[in-house]
Amino acid sequence: MRIPCPHCGARDAQEFTYLGDANPKRPDGMEATEAAMFDYVYQRDNPAGRFRELWYHGAGCHAWLVVTRDTKTHAIEAAEPAKPTKAGAAA
Amino acid sequence: MSSQPFRLSAGGLIDRTQAQSFRFDGKRYEGYAGDTLASALLANGVRLVGRSFKYHRPRGILSAGAEEPNALVELRAGARREPNTRATVAELYHGLEARSQNRWPSLAFDLLSVNSLFGAGLVAGFYYKTFMWPAAFWEKLYEPLIRRAAGLGRAAPHEDPDHYEKAFAFCDVLVIGGGPAGLAAALAAGRSGARVILCDEDFRLGGALLAEKREIDGRPAAEWLAATLAELASLPDVTIMPRSTVYGVYDHGIYGVVERVNDHLPVPPVHQPRQRAWRINAKRAILAAGAIERPIVFAGNDTPGVMLAGAVRAYVNRYAVLPGREAVVFTSSDDGWATMRDLAAAGAKVAAIVDPRVEIDAGLMALASRIGAQVFAGSVVSSASGGRALDRVTIRDASGREQSIACDLLAVSNGWNPTLHLTSHQNSRPVWDEAIHAFVPGQMPAGLSVAGSAAGRFSLAQALADGARQGTEAAIDCGFAAKAELPPRKTDPEGIALSPVWRVKGGKGKAFVDFQNDVTDKDVELAAREGFKPVEHLKRYTTLGMATDQGKTSNIAGLAIMAELTAKTIPETGTTIFRPPYTPVAIGALGGHHRGRDFRPTRLAPTHQWSQDQGAVFVESGAWMRAQYYPKAGETDWLTTVNREVLAVRNGVGLCDVSTLGKIDIQGADAAEILERVYINGWKALPVGKARYGLMLREDGFVMDDGTTSRLGETHFLMTTTTANAGKVMQHLEFCHQVLWPSLDIRMVSVSEQWAQAAIAGPKARAVLQGVIDPQHDISNEAFPYLAAREITVGGGIPARLFRISFSGELAYELAVPADYGDAMMRALMAAGEPHGICAYGTEALGVMRIEKGHVAGNELSGQTTARDLGLGKMMSSKKDFIGRVMAKREALVEAERPSLIGFKAVDPSQRLRAGAHFIAIGKPATMENDEGYMTSVAYSPNLKHWMGLGLLKNGASRIGERIRAVDPVRNGDIEVEICSPVFVDPEGTRLHV
């Protein structure tokens, strides 16, 4: 696969590390319950089709990216920085 | 020396001035440059080249290309031996050595061919059925027996001495196949200025044009070929890659290619690889891989001398070899009649042509009459016989009357299958085209189009037109202004009419569907009878199409027979799909240089040369090489050396490189805040100029890593990580910053490689250090106490960082300088330390001293331990949220019984401890139920003069003084140990503060 890194251009997938689902949000703070944290740490969907997922460009710009990929065809719709840029966007 | 009795005196694309001698099964033969091993063997009259997989049947050469199922040989000898090489694509070279496979004791006389007589026991599924009982016999008796009897070539017994490499290429248009369609496509795209790569598996470009006597625009096709190749060579952005097989299509326009750079030489030239694995990134690709001819299933169809009709033409026209002198042609298509014509033109006698069709084109009939070949229309070949070499075929007409004809060659043609394998690699199933009686590509992978025979458009005119059109379209797709379509080329007429016959029943003997895996028509019938009717079941039950040739010549007949048996059509029966690789690819080529010590890059610390000069023995640590110990003359075992190093540190001073620790520079208004969130302990109160030990967890509550982090400024921290986890921690921090808390105002960068760092440890450490630091810096105990961390200068203004931290438990410092000064720093410290008896020490001594102090390291940070397990539970702040806080409190992780860190020493101090030993109560059997934990780290303490250990034990902390057994069944160890404090030396820590 080739991933269109917003900073580095289309790069080989070997340069990236995969994490998985980009949707779960960490239950921050002292109030976080064990149940909510358990869901965050362990519960994952495994959809066939459109999927927003996190990739880390470790051999490139060190950016964490949210890549929107079709898990059936590997077609990549978008790749955006997980950290919002000044112009807005992503995550 | 052989005289090549079957070589024609003229013609062909071989160089008769370059004789090349070679050996097959030890016997010497001669061929010419331009030959394959197969063509050279045929030129010498060698028909029998191998024994079959299961029945050890004599086998010859079926094809002239990559699809060859039979003629598999071991190529080269010794460490360069390569099994299962297809003789039909092995380029001949002077001195080539090849051996036939799967025969014992010899090719001509094979004892195991009795398998053929007892064949009833070896039918489809026999592995599953025959050897079921008794089960205990399988591993010891049946399997070794079967493995000896069935099989292919032998792998080389030694390490491959040759190099393989990986390479990457980028292009606009990748053309796969160098036949007429591919060349026309490359030319059209190349003329537009597009970057074109053309790959062909052959060593000579031209594809089918090399094997045929054809005309283009009224001239011999060879002239068009020469002109086209010359023009392609003149185009600067066109790259031609012969001997290069595109073996796989991957996502997003990535193509896997293996280039056989030097397989055609006995030994690759110096500094050159044998093979090169390419990853080609192409915006567009055109598949012009041609087609593969189909055999017919009839009794004895595997007899050496039965050959595909197109292959016969290739041997006659390209290699100037007569595969036989008295031929019969068995064809269900017009195409086979061209073989009759070319054989006759080359001087062979064509005794008969057998065509199941009743109506034959009048022109073909006239041709046969001119040649003197007897025509058997509406007839089939019902069997071929001769054992090790064909001597006779039986022809059966529509009424069932049989007639036998002597011959030494039977050319078989049953139409062609498009070579569409690559179109399947993205999971697309081929579709049946009734008009041409073949599967054609289904949905195409993005960016790939298919031209000529590979698309089922078999005529030369179609190939040329397809190629030119698709080359133009591909260039336009890539943004080039390609010229409009060229006028279609005129070619000589050719017949492609076809009425395939899949099998001829009722002949005497076995009729093979899959030659390489010895699958017969009876096996397909058995599969149907036993209910293995769907194609995927048929394939797995009979192993049809599962050999190294992946059923290139066999799948279609198997499907057709199954369709007939189940009264379905072929499209209803369906087909399996092809997966990469198209042809076998050596693992060595895929691995490239990444093997042995080059499996991954080796990282050397900036102090490496210094360590080497000190005589260090190195050990891999993460990606780094670290000095393990520094043996001195006369020290014969490592323990002597390590003991000396430990005592030198504890009693004097030692110097150890710690450059490989991960270092992450963190700056910004929220620098302290992110440390609060990733470490379990507090950071906001850490004063500037101080270091602190930190422990971080994964979000699931287990320990991730530890290290000291120093506050160099109000908004500036320097984190250290363990050597092995440096990259992982950096990635984790980036995740925390970019994904979890993007609003934090911080910047981070890894500076692991930018700083060289050394530990100076021992009672005399301060005195040594004073010899290298600039005099204005006060490092007295009062001015620079334990855990001080400051930026200083050394050697007259060189920037440096000094940390008063200790892994050894002694008065110790870590001094860091920019990496380029690392070597000079070590030498300066050694010089300054000489009067104090300074000693270089390595990771072993470091390890002994950390165990003496009960410090955890990699063995304890195993990914399965919590802070609490390691006795560090009290570090967990209750006043803040941090990664892993919630999950670390899970019930099972805070259970009192959970094994926790504690120390051990042998009751008999002379006994040695072993890491990995499990703790079992005295008097209880050593079973899983009685397991109470295990020893994580052990070392011999030269200070205590006995072995000591750290381990994880149930209720560890409350059991000091108890005795337990350390059982090590792997090394037959079972000794009594006493549970003790994990801090063996200086438990009060007074040495740290002097």
Side-chain angles (χ1 to χ4, degrees):
Chain A
M1 289 206 304
R2 289 173 69 72
I3 294 174
C5 174
H7 304 123
C8 310
R11 307 295 304 173
D12 198 288
Q14 287 181 111
E15 294 183 3
F16 297 80
T17 306
Y18 183 69
L19 185 71
D21 196 346
N23 293 316
K25 290 275 171 283
R26 183 178 191 273
D28 277 341
M30 300 301 280
E31 303 75 35
T33 63
E34 189 180 313
M37 194 56 90
F38 182 89
D39 279 355
Y40 169 71
V41 172
Y42 293 112
Q43 301 289 49
R44 289 292 181 275
D45 289 333
N46 183 22
R50 194 172 182 273
F51 194 38
R52 292 175 73 248
E53 57 195 14
L54 286 164
W55 290 79
Y56 175 62
H57 198 186
C61 58
H62 278 212
W64 279 93
L65 304 177
V66 176
V67 176
T68 308
R69 181 178 66 104
D70 188 315
T71 58
K72 287 193 290 189
T73 63
H74 294 184
I76 291 174
E77 185 183 309
E80 301 163 291
K83 183 172 162 33
T85 56
K86 285 200 176 120
Chain B
M1 190 160 303
S2 168
S3 59
Q4 302 190 43
F6 290 84
R7 183 76 73 180
L8 299 171
S9 57
L13 299 168
I14 42 151
D15 184 351
R16 288 180 178 76
T17 66
Q18 283 196 61
Q20 297 185 323
S21 76
F22 67 100
R23 283 177 187 277
F24 179 66
D25 278 347
K27 196 171 169 200
R28 192 166 167 206
Y29 300 97
E30 203 158 87
Y32 293 124
D35 263 326
T36 61
L37 174 59
S39 67
L41 286 170
L42 289 170
N44 287 281
V46 178
R47 299 294 191 81
L48 172 62
V49 296
R51 288 276 172 173
S52 73
F53 183 68
K54 207 157 79 177
Y55 301 121
H56 290 246
R57 304 255 301 191
R59 289 284 165 82
I61 294 160
L62 180 74
S63 75
E67 68 272 30
E68 178 63 33
N70 285 340
L72 305 185
V73 298
E74 289 175 356
L75 201 59
R76 300 182 289 271
R80 290 193 167 86
R81 186 170 76 202
E82 187 184 344
N84 309 333
T85 308
R86 290 150 293 152
T88 50
V89 293
E91 195 172 342
L92 190 70
Y93 55 83
H94 191 70
L96 179 147
E97 271 185 73
R99 283 162 59 93
S100 57
Q101 300 184 160
N102 203 31
R103 80 287 190 278
W104 184 78
S106 78
L107 182 57
F109 178 72
D110 186 327
L111 282 177
L112 292 169
S113 61
V114 294
N115 281 0
S116 204
L117 303 177
F118 300 109
L122 295 173
V123 294
F126 82 103
Y127 292 102
Y128 315 117
K129 289 191 252 190
T130 316
F131 302 100
M132 286 303 288
W133 184 90
F137 277 28
W138 175 255
E139 204 177 312
K140 292 210 163 56
L141 182 65
Y142 296 147
E143 196 184 355
L145 216 77
I146 292 169
R147 284 199 187 280
R148 171 158 189 182
L152 296 168
R154 304 162 303 157
H158 309 292
E159 192 182 339
D160 190 336
D162 295 327
H163 294 283
Y164 298 81
E165 64 185 29
K166 297 184 191 180
F168 295 79
F170 296 80
C171 65
D172 296 305
V173 181
L174 171 66
V175 179
I176 304 160
L183 290 170
L187 195 59
R191 280 174 176 165
S192 76
R195 292 174 307 163
V196 175
I197 295 177
L198 174 95
C199 291
D200 193 280
E201 61 186 352
D202 206 330
F203 53 89
R204 188 171 194 124
L205 267 74
L209 291 180
L210 303 176
E212 309 283 351
K213 287 181 171 159
R214 301 302 309 272
E215 285 181 358
I216 297 175
D217 291 342
R219 306 284 308 156
E223 289 181 18
W224 177 87
L225 180 58
T228 302
L229 290 175
E231 185 177 349
L232 287 172
S234 76
L235 295 170
D237 288 324
V238 173
T239 305
I240 305 285
M241 290 175 58
R243 302 186 175 102
S244 298
T245 303
V246 179
Y247 63 79
V249 180
Y250 302 93
D251 294 305
H252 306 155
I254 297 172
Y255 295 82
V257 181
V258 63
E259 181 186 9
R260 288 169 293 278
V261 187
N262 284 305
D263 274 355
H264 60 295
L265 300 175
V267 174
V270 177
H271 303 311
Q272 281 203 33
R274 173 170 290 285
Q275 296 181 355
R276 191 177 281 137
W278 289 88
R279 184 184 272 247
I280 297 183
N281 291 268
K283 291 179 189 151
R284 283 281 276 102
I286 297 163
L287 178 65
I292 294 172
E293 200 168 19
R294 309 184 290 213
I296 299 173
V297 179
F298 57 88
N301 63 341
D302 64 331
T303 310
V306 179
M307 192 179 279
L308 291 170
V312 171
R313 296 205 294 277
Y315 289 115
V316 170
N317 296 326
R318 175 174 175 178
Y319 301 104
V321 169
L322 272 188
R325 299 196 198 284
E326 286 203 41
V328 171
V329 176
F330 178 20
T331 179
S332 65
S333 74
D334 291 358
D335 195 60
W337 294 71
T339 301
M340 172 189 74
R341 177 197 64 203
D342 290 1
L343 272 171
K349 178 187 167 195
V350 183
I353 182 157
V354 184
D355 196 321
R357 297 175 298 179
V358 179
E359 300 285 326
I360 308 287
D361 177 83
L364 298 177
M365 290 298 284
L367 179 65
S369 155
R370 270 203 306 283
I371 286 167
Q374 192 181 352
V375 176
F376 292 82
S379 301
V380 293
V381 171
S382 58
S383 67
S385 57
R388 295 198 292 265
L390 180 72
D391 58 16
R392 188 158 290 279
V393 297
T394 304
I395 298 167
R396 188 200 297 153
D397 68 14
S399 69
R401 199 180 41 180
E402 292 197 331
Q403 177 177 346
S404 168
I405 289 187
C407 61
D408 61 357
L409 173 68
L410 176 64
V412 178
S413 180
N414 197 27
W416 297 71
N417 283 334
T419 306
L420 50 72
H421 305 67
L422 295 179
T423 69
S424 252
H425 287 185
Q426 303 279 296
N427 213 26
S428 153
R429 217 166 269 274
V431 294
W432 182 254
D433 183 338
E434 191 59 38
I436 60 166
H437 304 280
F439 282 101
V440 294
Q443 197 190 340
M444 299 296 291
L448 184 68
S449 61
V450 58
S453 297
R457 292 187 284 273
F458 293 122
S459 77
L460 177 56
Q462 283 172 316
L464 293 168
D466 259 18
R469 180 175 52 78
Q470 291 186 27
T472 305
E473 286 170 1
I476 291 170
D477 285 352
C478 296
F480 293 87
K483 288 189 195 115
E485 199 176 321
L486 303 162
R489 298 273 176 178
K490 272 184 66 108
T491 61
D492 56 317
E494 62 188 307
I496 53 170
L498 166 71
S499 178
V501 49
W502 300 112
R503 71 160 162 169
V504 178
K505 290 187 217 173
K508 190 172 177 296
K510 286 187 192 309
F512 285 87
V513 178
D514 183 327
F515 297 102
Q516 201 178 110
N517 263 356
D518 269 355
V519 178
T520 66
D521 61 340
K522 295 279 184 283
D523 291 322
V524 179
E525 288 177 359
L526 183 73
R529 263 203 318 278
E530 298 193 343
F532 297 94
K533 291 173 186 174
V535 286
E536 301 290 348
H537 293 174
L538 168 67
K539 172 177 174 173
R540 282 154 189 87
Y541 193 58
T542 63
T543 73
L544 169 73
M546 289 174 73
T548 65
D549 67 342
Q550 292 283 292
K552 290 186 179 64
T553 54
S554 64
N555 280 350
I556 183 75
L559 303 178
I561 294 169
M562 183 56 84
E564 176 202 314
L565 294 168
T566 53
K568 284 182 176 170
T569 63
I570 291 177
E572 281 166 357
T573 304
T575 180
T576 54
I577 62 173
F578 300 100
R579 288 183 292 245
Y582 167 64
T583 49
V585 178
I587 295 291
L590 298 176
H593 282 125
H594 296 262
R595 67 180 196 190
R597 58 166 290 185
D598 297 326
F599 181 68
R600 61 179 182 185
T602 305
R603 302 176 78 184
L604 303 181
T607 57
H608 189 82
Q609 184 60 50
W610 170 80
S611 283
Q612 213 158 26
D613 292 350
Q614 302 292 313
V617 171
F618 290 93
V619 63
E620 261 184 60
S621 175
W624 298 86
M625 295 304 287
R626 294 189 71 181
Q628 191 176 11
Y629 53 96
Y630 296 86
K632 287 216 159 128
E635 292 175 346
T636 50
D637 70 309
W638 66 271
L639 189 57
T640 308
T641 304
V642 172
N643 287 343
R644 172 179 55 75
E645 292 176 8
V646 169
L647 291 172
V649 173
R650 294 254 182 256
N651 300 321
V653 61
L655 176 62
C656 179
D657 173 68
V658 292
S659 301
T660 61
L661 292 178
K663 308 175 201 75
I664 301 170
D665 197 281
I666 305 169
Q667 300 191 36
D670 292 322
E673 179 61 32
I674 193 150
L675 296 178
E676 291 281 328
R677 299 189 191 186
V678 298
Y679 277 130
I680 64 174
N681 47 333
W683 292 86
K684 284 191 170 157
L686 182 71
V688 172
K690 278 287 193 182
R692 177 170 288 174
Y693 176 75
L695 190 72
M696 57 178 80
L697 307 183
R698 305 188 308 228
E699 194 69 277
D700 63 4
F702 291 90
V703 174
M704 173 187 274
D705 200 53
D706 70 346
T708 55
T709 290
S710 304
R711 191 165 204 165
L712 299 176
E714 192 55 39
T715 59
H716 185 190
F717 289 81
L718 182 71
M719 174 187 283
T720 62
T721 74
T722 59
T723 297
N725 285 336
K728 203 165 87 181
V729 172
M730 186 71 205
Q731 178 178 333
H732 176 62
L733 291 183
E734 298 278 18
F735 176 81
C736 293
H737 177 217
Q738 297 178 34
V739 181
L740 297 184
W741 307 301
S743 63
L744 290 184
D745 178 13
I746 47 164
R747 286 289 182 273
M748 293 178 287
V749 67
S750 162
V751 292
S752 301
E753 290 167 38
Q754 278 65 36
W755 292 85
Q757 196 154 319
I760 306 106
K764 297 177 183 169
R766 186 178 296 120
V768 174
L769 198 56
Q770 265 157 346
V772 298
I773 64 170
D774 289 343
Q776 69 271 27
H777 306 294
D778 182 359
I779 57 165
S780 66
N781 193 41
E782 296 68 37
F784 201 82
Y786 181 54
L787 293 176
R790 234 172 266 163
E791 292 182 303
I792 61 160
T793 56
V794 295
I798 298 163
R801 289 166 175 173
L802 186 64
F803 312 91
R804 190 164 162 194
I805 52 180
S806 178
F807 203 39
S808 59
E810 296 299 324
L811 164 67
Y813 299 86
E814 288 189 13
L815 177 64
V817 292
D820 285 353
Y821 290 103
D823 186 79
M825 170 179 71
M826 299 308 270
R827 292 178 200 279
L829 284 165
M830 282 304 270
E834 209 192 334
H836 306 283
I838 196 165
C839 165
Y841 68 100
T843 55
E844 282 298 330
L846 199 71
V848 171
M849 289 188 278
R850 72 99 184 164
I851 295 172
E852 286 180 333
K853 290 297 294 179
H855 290 154
V856 294
N859 290 7
E860 287 77 33
L861 308 178
S862 62
Q864 296 173 317
T865 47
T866 65
R868 198 175 155 275
D869 297 343
L870 301 179
L872 302 170
K874 290 203 174 68
M875 276 176 71
M876 286 200 278
S877 169
S878 57
K879 300 190 187 72
K880 58 155 188 172
D881 187 26
F882 56 88
I883 299 262
R885 178 183 66 90
V886 176
M887 300 308 267
K889 289 189 226 157
R890 280 183 287 172
E891 201 181 330
L893 298 189
V894 296
E895 211 175 39
E897 283 248 301
R898 210 180 140 80
S900 57
L901 191 80
I902 200 70
F904 299 88
K905 54 190 179 192
V907 170
D908 169 1
S910 69
Q911 279 187 306
R912 178 177 184 166
L913 303 183
R914 295 284 191 182
H918 279 250
F919 301 123
I920 307 283
I922 293 165
K924 284 196 179 169
T927 60
M928 283 293 287
E929 299 75 58
N930 296 330
D931 186 15
E932 299 194 47
Y934 72 101
M935 196 87 84
T936 53
S937 301
V938 300
Y940 177 78
S941 168
N943 296 291
L944 305 173
K945 302 207 166 39
H946 64 71
W947 286 81
M948 57 188 174
L950 298 177
L952 298 164
L953 178 70
K954 280 185 185 173
N955 292 320
S958 62
R959 297 170 67 179
I960 288 179
E962 272 182 43
R963 287 181 181 184
I964 197 163
R965 282 155 59 214
V967 180
D968 179 20
V970 178
R971 284 164 293 204
N972 251 344
D974 186 349
I975 63 170
E976 229 177 274
V977 294
E978 184 186 320
I979 301 163
C980 61
S981 158
V983 187
F984 294 88
V985 167
D986 186 25
E988 299 78 26
T990 49
R991 296 188 188 192
L992 287 171
H993 299 279
V994 294

